[in-house]
């Protein structure tokens, strides 16, 4: 008989509770104990905050951990469950995917109780935490390989009512960008699974590059703004300052807006995020390195757009994404 996941404490108890979500052992690993914080102040919104889904995106776990410091005093109602690290083996290894089974936790939902460790984590979260919340904030970042502005993101949702609610919630972060992101159909994403359960799920992409204190302050302000919008804490929501500006814009990007590398080589970025580009403007240059006779190749914007993400200077394969373009959402 395989064990079932369990919580070491009762989420319905009033007040502050700390304990663990226990993911049972399997053939590939011992049981995992994921620290969980729960602040229950009675009637009101039911929120789940998660970080550390991808192990090389560490802003989320830090911001989630900081919530534990200020929320007990600030929260006025409702229940907030915080799980700072969804995937401890990946975070400990600074690896996007789980080292034990090589799986991407954000492609493993709703998981399997008798599966590998990543699937067992997804199963434990799906069974025990997701049903306890109506709104989920999953704190990611674009990782170390991209330049990306602080953003709250959602994917297109077929249910128009849930789409509108989710977009409003994402905009409430008041981060520099709210992004409606059309993605190639990829099964097993946490947000897709939560949306299928009728829940409002916002994925924060808390920047990129290395973890820095200025960026963390922006992310924390964004999360606080969303808490204010939900009515969980009191206060005035305000756009955080990013590159000397306090502004927020809602953008849309389609899967066709991803620019791919035309060849294998080193990508040299020639634009910055939030640059407004016209058709033909230079986005970057691809330098093939396999031969000295191959010319460098300009990568240009196909249409008027806003640069939403650009890959750092890196060696890339042919057809690998190097930039994501976007335009103001018009709906
Ligand atoms: Zn991520």
């Amino acid at each position: 008989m395989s064990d079932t996941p369990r919580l070491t404490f009762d989420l319905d108890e009033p007040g502050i509770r700390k304990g663990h979500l226990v993911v049972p052992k399997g053939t590939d690993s011992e049981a995992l104990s994921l620290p969980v914080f729960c602040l229950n102040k009675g009637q009101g919104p039911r929120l789940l905050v998660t970080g550390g889904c991808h192990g090389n995106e560490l802003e989320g776990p830090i911001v989630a951990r900081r919530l534990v410091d200020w929320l007990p005093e600030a929260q006025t109602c409702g229940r907030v469950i915080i799980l700072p690290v969804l995937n401890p083996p990946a975070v400990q290894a600074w690896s996007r995917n789980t080292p034990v089974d090589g799986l991407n936790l954000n492609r493993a939902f709703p998981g399997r109780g008798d599966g590998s460790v990543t699937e067992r984590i997804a199963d434990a979260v799906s069974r025990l935490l997701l049903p306890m919340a109506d709104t989920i904030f999953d704190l990611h970042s674009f990782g170390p390989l991209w330049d990306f502005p602080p953003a709250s993101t959602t994917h297109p949702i077929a249910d128009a009512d849930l789409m509108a609610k989710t977009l409003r919630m994402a905009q409430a972060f008041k981060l520099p960008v709210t992004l409606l992101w059309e993605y190639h159909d990829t099964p097993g994403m946490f947000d897709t699974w939560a949306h299928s359960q009728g829940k409002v799920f916002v994925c924060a992409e808390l920047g990129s590059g290395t973890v820095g204190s200025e960026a963390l302050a922006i992310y924390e302000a964004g999360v606080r703004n969303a808490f204010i919008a939900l009515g969980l804490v009191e206060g005035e929501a305000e756009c955080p300052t990013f590159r000397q500006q306090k502004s927020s814009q809602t953008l849309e990007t389609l899967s066709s807006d991803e620019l791919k590398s035309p060849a294998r080589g080193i990508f040299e970025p020639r634009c910055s995020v939030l640059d407004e580009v016209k058709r033909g403007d230079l986005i970057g240059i691809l330098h093939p390195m396999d031969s000295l006779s191959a010319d460098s190749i300009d990568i240009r914007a196909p249409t008027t757009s806003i640069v939403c993400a650009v890959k750092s200077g890196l060696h890339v394969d042919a057809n690998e994404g190097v930039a994501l373009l976007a335009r103001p959402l018009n709906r």
Side-chain angles (χ1 to χ4, degrees):
M1 186 186 111
S2 66
D3 290 344
T4 51
R6 64 187 174 88
L7 280 157
T8 60
F9 65 115
D10 183 355
L11 296 172
D12 291 329
E13 292 274 317
I16 299 171
R17 286 279 179 275
K18 294 174 187 174
H20 291 91
L21 174 66
V22 179
V23 178
K25 75 174 175 29
T27 52
D28 58 353
S29 85
E30 288 301 308
L32 301 176
S33 285
L34 281 48
V36 176
F37 174 88
C38 180
L39 184 50
N40 195 350
K41 294 208 175 170
Q43 292 291 315
R46 304 189 311 155
L47 174 69
L48 169 64
V49 181
T50 53
C53 177
H54 292 135
N56 60 357
E57 301 174 9
L58 302 185
E59 288 87 350
I62 295 171
V63 170
R65 180 62 189 74
R66 282 188 185 176
L67 281 174
V68 176
D69 296 333
W70 61 261
L71 201 56
E73 201 157 309
Q75 188 182 328
T76 57
C77 65
R79 182 175 65 195
V80 181
I81 302 168
I82 301 170
L83 179 60
V85 174
L86 276 166
N87 193 345
V91 165
Q92 286 153 21
W94 199 70
S95 161
R96 179 175 172 81
N97 293 355
T98 319
V100 184
D101 56 14
L103 295 185
N104 178 346
L105 177 56
N106 206 21
R107 302 292 183 275
F109 279 86
R112 287 196 304 147
D114 59 354
S116 66
V117 63
T118 309
E119 295 169 310
R120 296 198 304 278
I121 294 171
D123 176 68
V125 173
S126 300
R127 279 174 197 263
L128 297 179
L129 296 184
L130 199 57
M132 310 303 274
D134 305 309
T135 304
I136 299 97
F137 299 156
D138 192 23
L139 309 181
H140 286 247
S141 51
F142 233 62
L145 309 182
W146 291 85
D147 187 16
F148 192 76
S152 51
T153 73
T154 176
H155 298 133
I157 305 167
D159 177 338
D161 186 45
L162 187 60
M163 178 80 266
K165 276 202 308 212
T166 302
L167 197 57
R168 272 201 304 277
M169 190 73 255
Q171 287 168 328
F173 281 70
K174 291 181 171 286
L175 287 170
V177 170
T178 302
L179 185 65
L180 180 58
W181 188 353
E182 185 193 74
Y183 216 69
H184 291 297
D185 195 23
T186 44
M189 294 183 80
F190 191 12
D191 71 329
T192 313
W193 175 245
H195 288 150
S196 77
Q197 314 286 301
K199 300 186 186 289
V200 171
F201 186 110
V202 175
C203 178
E205 292 285 355
L206 301 180
S208 55
T210 52
V211 174
S213 59
E214 207 178 322
L216 283 169
I218 294 175
Y219 309 154
E220 197 172 9
V223 171
R224 187 189 284 264
N225 285 339
F227 274 67
I228 292 169
L230 273 173
L232 285 164
V233 306
E234 289 174 352
E236 197 79 25
E238 197 190 348
C239 290
T241 304
F242 177 66
R243 298 185 180 170
Q244 287 88 47
Q245 278 192 31
K246 283 181 181 290
S247 66
S248 180
Q249 56 184 326
T250 301
L251 303 178
E252 175 176 39
T253 184
L254 305 175
S255 45
S256 55
D257 284 318
E258 188 182 9
L259 298 188
K260 306 275 182 72
S261 177
R264 189 180 131 86
I266 296 176
F267 174 70
E268 175 194 351
R270 280 297 190 94
C271 61
S272 299
V273 292
L274 303 188
D275 280 358
E276 292 177 20
V277 292
K278 297 187 300 297
R279 179 189 159 98
D281 283 353
L282 193 59
I283 298 294
I285 303 173
L286 193 280
H287 303 282
M289 289 289 160
D290 294 337
S291 132
L292 284 177
S293 58
D295 289 336
S296 296
I297 306 165
D298 290 348
I299 301 170
R300 296 185 179 277
T303 174
T304 298
S305 39
I306 296 166
V307 177
C308 191
V310 62
K311 194 156 256 177
S312 310
L314 283 172
H315 194 277
V316 295
D317 281 327
N319 219 27
E320 188 174 328
V322 290
L324 196 61
L325 303 180
R327 66 199 60 78
L329 180 66
N330 192 8
R331 60 162 76 182

